[in-house]
Amino acid sequence: ADGAEVLGRAVRRIAGPDQTIAFVIDEFEELFAARNREVDEFLDALAGAIEDPAAPLRVLAALRADFYDRPLSHPRLAPLVKATVVEVTPMAADEIEAAVSTPARVAGLTLAPGLLARILSETLGETAPLPLLQYAMWELTERAESSQLTIDGFEAIGGITGALVSTAERTYHDADAAEQEAMRRVLGRLVDVQSDSGDLRRRSLVTDLGDDPVTSEALRRLANTRLVTFDRDPRTRAPVVEIAHEALLRTWPRLIDWLDEDRDALRRAAELAAVADRWDGDARPEADLLRGPRLASAEEVGTSRPDLLRPVDHALVDASLAAEEQARQAQRRQVQRLRRLSIAAAVGLVIALVATLVANGQRRRADDEAQRAEQAAAAAVEAQAAAEGASTDVLVRLLQDRAAATIAEQPD
């Protein structure tokens, strides 16, 4: 069964007769910031369940305006979003007043004269004032010495924008130097700095941040002041942590500076983490090891900022470096083998050349000796012939003389 069918079946099982399940997704943009195969499968299943007329499901998703184009790029979600989108405009004065006074009245609190006007002056015109307003009202209520919320108390917490920042600064300064460094590392790991729409919060497994006492104490301090919140992964039930207020990423100067200074290392660490998760999930195949520029980048961040890497990240880098070293050794052995073969071939060539030269020398000497022998034989033959020729001439003259004498003795 596909994801939509499974989700639809689960909804029908949960819902009673004539009941509808409301599925609320806050900060929908975080799914698109961390777009991967699992997210795509979830979005497909969600769209399919919404399209199923038999599934008693209604989905309410809150999405940041600067991410509005993301669901429109999803083939199945796009028509659903375009047909049902509701634009939430900045809050009007009466809406802000209701958001402040109604919860206060329910809690048995009153607002001192002028407090509401002061709150309105700091929130009207802001794009998303509710997160900061919520935190400021929580701080103001926590510090109230009576049932009345006062302007003095509001100023003491730093107002709407200062409440969160002052709490963050106080938490930081209450920690020792090691814990402060751990806070910087932890908060950096809880921010997605790769998004092209600005920095976003991201969840992390608590174990991925480190289990040493300093990190644990830094997390405890951040949680006690409600700067981070803990939860459990819905699939594995492992503890997870995230920054409680995304506004902290835009309003706390110290955190903004940290992110700017560490951005490149955080980005490379996040890229390595994504690759390491796939490598680990696929039983760590050798084919997925890092090579070339990717390995060089991972090795550099592992050397300069090892605190940003998880154990599985270090394992991937170490395995990749070991494989690269093995490849280098194999290449060196190949080069040495080729060098030995080249030397052997060169020696063989020299031996063959020497043998050829020796053979040629011997052949030339043999030819010279044969030629000299032939010349000696020819000379001997000529000498003998000459000797024999001389003897013949004497005999011929004797015969001629004898013949002449004979002729002379005969009578006419």
Side-chain angles (χ1 to χ4, degrees):
D2 62 14
E5 182 179 346
V6 172
L7 181 57
R9 194 161 54 235
V11 169
R12 287 191 292 273
R13 186 182 300 117
I14 295 173
D18 301 324
Q19 288 184 332
T20 298
I21 298 296
F23 187 25
V24 180
I25 307 176
D26 193 15
E27 297 176 343
F28 196 34
E29 65 273 1
E30 293 189 9
L31 282 175
F32 296 95
R35 191 83 176 264
N36 53 39
R37 184 177 59 191
E38 290 184 351
V39 170
D40 285 335
E41 291 174 353
F42 169 75
L43 294 176
D44 285 336
L46 182 64
I50 295 173
E51 294 167 343
D52 183 4
L57 177 68
R58 296 293 180 270
V59 176
L60 174 63
L63 179 72
R64 264 175 42 179
D66 51 340
F67 275 80
Y68 178 66
D69 62 314
R70 305 302 176 85
L72 297 181
S73 66
H74 190 281
R76 299 185 69 178
L77 274 181
L80 300 173
V81 171
K82 288 192 290 186
T84 59
V85 66
V86 176
E87 297 177 351
V88 179
T89 57
M91 297 177 69
D94 59 333
E95 293 173 324
I96 296 176
E97 181 178 348
V100 173
S101 59
T102 301
R105 185 170 59 252
V106 170
L109 301 172
T110 60
L111 304 178
L115 177 58
L116 187 56
R118 178 67 179 274
I119 293 173
L120 289 173
S121 69
E122 293 192 18
T123 53
L124 279 176
E126 295 294 326
T127 303
L130 274 183
L132 290 176
L133 177 60
Q134 176 193 24
Y135 193 85
M137 295 306 297
W138 176 82
E139 278 282 308
L140 184 59
T141 302
E142 286 291 303
R143 298 190 188 189
E145 297 179 353
S146 66
S147 60
Q148 186 178 60
L149 303 180
T150 65
I151 293 179
D152 289 342
F154 184 73
E155 291 177 345
I157 64 171
I160 296 296
T161 58
L164 185 58
V165 173
S166 63
T167 299
E169 279 294 300
R170 185 176 68 252
T171 304
Y172 175 78
H173 286 294
D174 285 346
D176 62 29
E179 293 165 358
Q180 290 174 349
E181 193 60 34
M183 287 181 184
R184 174 175 183 165
R185 173 175 52 81
V186 164
L187 292 174
R189 294 278 298 276
L190 296 178
V191 178
D192 178 11
V193 298
Q194 300 189 91
S195 172
D196 55 7
S197 295
D199 297 335
L200 295 172
R201 294 182 301 169
R202 58 178 293 271
R203 283 189 168 194
S204 173
L205 292 171
V206 174
T207 54
D208 284 347
L209 299 177
D211 56 2
D212 58 283
V214 173
T215 299
S216 298
E217 179 60 19
L219 282 171
R220 186 193 67 79
R221 289 182 179 276
L222 293 169
N224 285 347
T225 52
R226 295 168 54 93
L227 296 177
V228 301
T229 58
F230 291 94
D231 200 351
R232 289 191 176 274
D233 185 277
R235 184 177 56 183
T236 65
R237 306 307 298 166
V240 295
V241 60
E242 66 178 336
I243 293 175
H245 308 277
E246 193 167 289
L248 195 66
L249 279 60
R250 301 187 300 272
T251 59
W252 189 15
R254 186 182 300 277
L255 178 57
I256 293 172
D257 290 342
W258 285 345
L259 294 176
D260 287 341
E261 293 170 7
D262 298 341
R263 189 169 301 277
D264 181 63
L266 290 171
R267 182 181 292 112
R268 286 192 287 171
E271 291 171 352
L272 174 60
V275 175
D277 286 340
R278 289 194 298 271
W279 174 69
D280 191 52
D282 293 339
R284 304 189 173 191
E286 184 176 351
D288 290 348
L289 293 176
L290 302 172
R291 293 175 178 83
R294 297 174 69 192
L295 176 56
S297 175
E299 184 182 12
E300 196 281 329
V301 73
T303 302
S304 61
R305 292 299 304 273
D307 56 311
L308 295 179
L309 304 188
R310 306 167 301 167
V312 67
D313 303 331
H314 285 291
L316 174 58
V317 174
D318 291 343
S320 300
L321 290 173
E324 184 182 57
E325 179 59 27
Q326 290 177 354
R328 278 199 296 264
Q329 291 178 358
Q331 186 177 22
R332 282 196 294 268
R333 288 193 295 269
Q334 179 69 10
V335 170
Q336 291 171 354
R337 187 160 50 248
L338 292 175
R339 185 179 293 115
R340 286 195 296 270
L341 290 174
S342 299
I343 293 173
V347 170
L349 181 61
V350 170
I351 293 174
L353 180 60
V354 170
T356 301
L357 293 174
V358 170
N360 289 339
Q362 291 175 342
R363 185 167 56 252
R364 281 195 299 273
R365 285 195 298 273
D367 290 344
D368 291 344
E369 291 176 357
Q371 186 177 7
R372 285 194 295 272
E374 290 177 357
Q375 290 173 349
V381 169
E382 290 178 358
Q384 182 179 358
E388 290 177 354
S391 299
T392 301
D393 291 342
V394 172
L395 180 59
V396 170
R397 284 195 300 272
L398 289 175
L399 288 176
Q400 289 176 343
D401 292 341
R402 180 62 183 166
T406 301
I407 293 172
E409 291 175 358
Q410 291 181 359
D412 292 335

